[in-house]
Amino acid sequence: MRVVRETSTAALPPTPGAEQYLALDFADSAYALPGGHFIDLLGTPESTNRWLAERGLAPADAGVQEMCATQLRVLREHIRALFAARVARQPALPAALSAVNDALSRTPTAALLQWDEKKGPYRAALCPPNEILDRALATLAADTADLLTGSDADFLTICYSAPCNRYLIRHGRRHWCSTRCGDRARAARAYARAKSKVD
C-alpha cells in the first residue's frame, strides 16, 4: 500500500546536482521510500505553491490552484521520462519531448528593457500574475534542456538503492542519492552475502 504524504520539508537531502540543476530538484520532488511510502512535494496546491516560492518561481502568496499543480506534476513526469531515456541511452518518448518544448515556448525568456524615471534603463523579466505558471514551466523546461544537452548529461543516473527513484549527477563512484540510501544498499548487500553463506 502506498501512503502519500505532502510536506514542505523533504525527508531526504537534495541529490548531488540538485543545487546546480533546478530540473533535477523538480524531477525528484516526488519519490519513494521504503515501506511503500511515497512523498510528493507537489501533491497539493498549497505544497506546490511552497515548493515554487522556495525556489523563486512564484511569490509565496501566488495562490496556486489544483489545475496549476496538475500541470506541474504532468511536466515533472515528462521530465522524468526524458531523464530515464537518457540514463538508459534510449530514444526519448515523443510526448515527453513535446511537453518540454511546449513549456519552453510558453513565455519569452529574455529580460525586457524597462525604464525607471530616476534610475534610467534596466532589464527585468516581468511576470504578470496570470503568467506565473507559464514562466515556472518554461524555467523548469529550459533547465531540463540545459542538463540534457550539457556536459553533466553523461553523469545523470538514478539512485541504485531500491525503492528510491531519485535522479542525481554522479561524480566518482557514488551511485546513491543520499547517505541513507547508500547505507540501505550496503546493508542489503551484507544481508544477502550472510544469507548465501547460511544456505
Side-chain angles (χ1 to χ4, degrees):
M1 179 178 168
R2 299 185 108 178
V3 178
V4 177
R5 293 190 305 169
E6 295 137 5
T7 176
S8 62
T9 306
L12 296 175
T15 64
E19 292 178 1
Q20 183 180 359
Y21 293 103
L22 185 57
L24 196 58
D25 188 31
F26 180 57
D28 291 338
S29 64
Y31 53 91
L33 294 173
H37 295 278
F38 184 79
I39 293 180
D40 187 351
L41 301 177
L42 308 178
T44 65
E46 295 78 19
S47 62
T48 300
N49 203 138
R50 263 193 311 273
W51 191 91
L52 291 169
E54 288 168 1
R55 285 145 186 90
L57 295 172
D61 61 352
V64 171
Q65 300 297 310
E66 180 57 36
M67 182 183 75
C68 298
T70 298
Q71 287 181 50
L72 283 157
R73 289 190 297 265
V74 168
L75 180 64
R76 179 181 63 197
E77 292 313 307
H78 286 302
I79 289 172
R80 289 185 60 81
L82 291 175
F83 285 179
R86 180 66 173 104
V87 168
R89 306 292 194 256
Q90 298 291 322
L93 294 173
L97 200 56
S98 179
V100 167
N101 284 329
D102 179 57
L104 275 169
S105 64
R106 284 182 177 239
T107 61
T109 56
L112 303 176
L113 180 63
Q114 306 293 323
W115 204 282
D116 182 271
E117 291 180 16
K118 294 178 183 173
K119 297 178 184 177
Y122 67 98
R123 293 189 70 181
L126 297 180
C127 189
N130 64 331
E131 292 181 11
I132 291 172
L133 177 66
D134 286 344
R135 190 159 305 272
L137 291 168
T139 300
L140 293 163
D143 197 62
T144 299
D146 290 344
L147 171 55
L148 290 174
T149 60
S151 59
D152 283 329
D154 289 336
F155 302 102
L156 179 65
T157 191
I158 196 157
C159 183
Y160 280 30
S161 180
C164 187
N165 62 343
R166 298 196 316 159
Y167 287 94
L168 63 138
I169 302 295
R170 179 179 41 84
H171 291 290
R173 298 178 60 215
R174 181 175 176 170
H175 294 285
W176 303 286
C177 70
S178 66
T179 304
R180 182 188 298 179
C181 281
D183 291 346
R184 191 171 60 244
R186 284 188 285 276
R189 279 198 313 263
Y191 176 77
R193 279 193 303 269
K195 189 169 189 244
S196 69
K197 288 179 183 178
V198 172
D199 294 339

